[in-house]
Amino acid sequence: MSVTSRYRHAWEGFWKEAPDEPGAVFWDAEPDVTAAVHVALFEPHLTDPGLPLVDLGCGNGTQTRYLAQRFPRVLGADISEAALDHARHADPAAQARYRLLDAAAKSEAEALHAELGDANVYMRGVLHQCEPEDRQPLADSIATLVGSRGRVFLVELSEAARPVLGGLAQSPSGPPPKLAPVFRHGIAPGEVADDAVPEYLRNAGLTVLAGGELPLTTTEFTPDGERIVLPSNWLVAGCMN
């Protein structure tokens, strides 16, 4: 079984088990504390907001549907068909389109670019879920999708998130209910060094245009009723040749 097929299988199992209810998945926070915050950071750097927007790793499409209200052509792409089933079910008006995509496969990224042309890309918390062998190919695919005119907004958990997640996983009462399925299906976040993320983009031929720190809001709460928020970093990049 290849690296990609291992976590494709893991994601299929996760999304087949996941409830349809909004907020039932650990990271499925409402758009006003996720995509809306990100769009405010992303939009000033877009050279052409009219380009297609690809929500890469769209999952059940919560953020995709918000993005479809802000941009004229939005495509949600994911490695899991079960995730896309959730997304389509939650989007009966077809505000966005959805596509099965292995974003670490060069041929699939090239085929999508041939169909869409240059695109803007939104990607939240995908790189750290990838196997190490697939991280640079994923960045290369992003560069293929954005081409010469697009921009990518990428937000990933920072190194500081790992001990927070570790503490939650090792709680005497076990991990929080919404986090437990993530670990059970073998898709626990991997460790990506903070300085490695921009390096992947640079190696793909992209220039980092902006970046900063940002809390990543989850849908889970501590036993004390406090919302779990994880430290993350964001970047905007594009081709400047």
Side-chain angles (χ1 to χ4, degrees):
M1 186 179 289
S2 70
V3 171
T4 297
S5 63
R6 279 202 305 273
Y7 58 76
R8 185 196 298 272
H9 179 76
W11 281 114
E12 278 295 299
F14 175 86
W15 282 113
K16 284 180 179 178
E17 181 184 295
D20 279 328
E21 292 77 19
V25 172
F26 182 70
W27 54 81
D28 192 30
E30 54 272 23
D32 63 340
V33 294
T34 47
V37 177
H38 301 152
V39 165
L41 297 168
F42 191 24
E43 279 187 320
H45 299 282
L46 297 178
T47 58
D48 186 351
L51 292 178
L53 176 70
V54 178
D55 181 6
L56 203 53
C58 68
N60 62 356
T62 297
Q63 312 309 320
T64 319
R65 293 188 295 279
Y66 172 83
L67 294 168
Q69 298 171 22
R70 299 295 300 268
F71 298 94
R73 292 179 291 165
V74 174
L75 175 71
D78 203 278
I79 197 172
S80 166
E81 189 65 68
L84 297 175
D85 288 343
H86 280 283
R88 294 185 181 106
H89 176 74
D91 189 8
Q95 299 175 75
R97 293 189 296 134
Y98 302 93
R99 178 76 58 84
L100 188 69
L101 181 75
D102 177 359
K106 180 180 180 181
S107 61
E108 295 195 26
E110 289 174 341
L112 185 56
H113 182 263
E115 176 185 335
L116 298 179
D118 290 355
N120 295 314
V121 174
Y122 173 79
M123 191 173 84
R124 181 176 68 111
V126 175
L127 194 65
H128 73 271
Q129 297 282 8
C130 291
E131 299 282 355
E133 298 94 323
D134 277 354
R135 291 172 188 158
Q136 187 60 57
L138 175 57
D140 295 342
S141 288
I142 290 171
T144 296
L145 292 173
V146 302
S148 61
R149 296 186 296 149
R151 295 288 184 264
V152 55
F153 181 90
L154 182 153
V155 58
E156 292 290 336
L157 295 181
S158 69
E159 293 176 50
R162 189 169 180 82
V164 178
L165 286 167
L168 293 170
Q170 296 166 17
S171 168
S173 58
K178 294 179 186 178
L179 186 57
V182 179
F183 292 114
R184 185 168 65 252
H185 286 281
I187 49 177
E191 184 172 358
V192 181
D194 292 347
D195 58 1
V197 177
E199 193 63 22
Y200 286 129
L201 297 177
R202 294 188 189 104
N203 289 341
L206 298 175
T207 299
V208 175
L209 305 173
E213 298 178 356
L214 195 66
L216 190 73
T217 303
T218 78
T219 63
E220 190 59 282
F221 294 82
T222 67
D224 298 330
E226 183 178 351
R227 172 98 73 151
I228 295 173
V229 177
L230 301 172
S232 70
N233 297 318
W234 64 272
L235 296 171
V236 176
C239 179
M240 302 303 290
N241 294 334

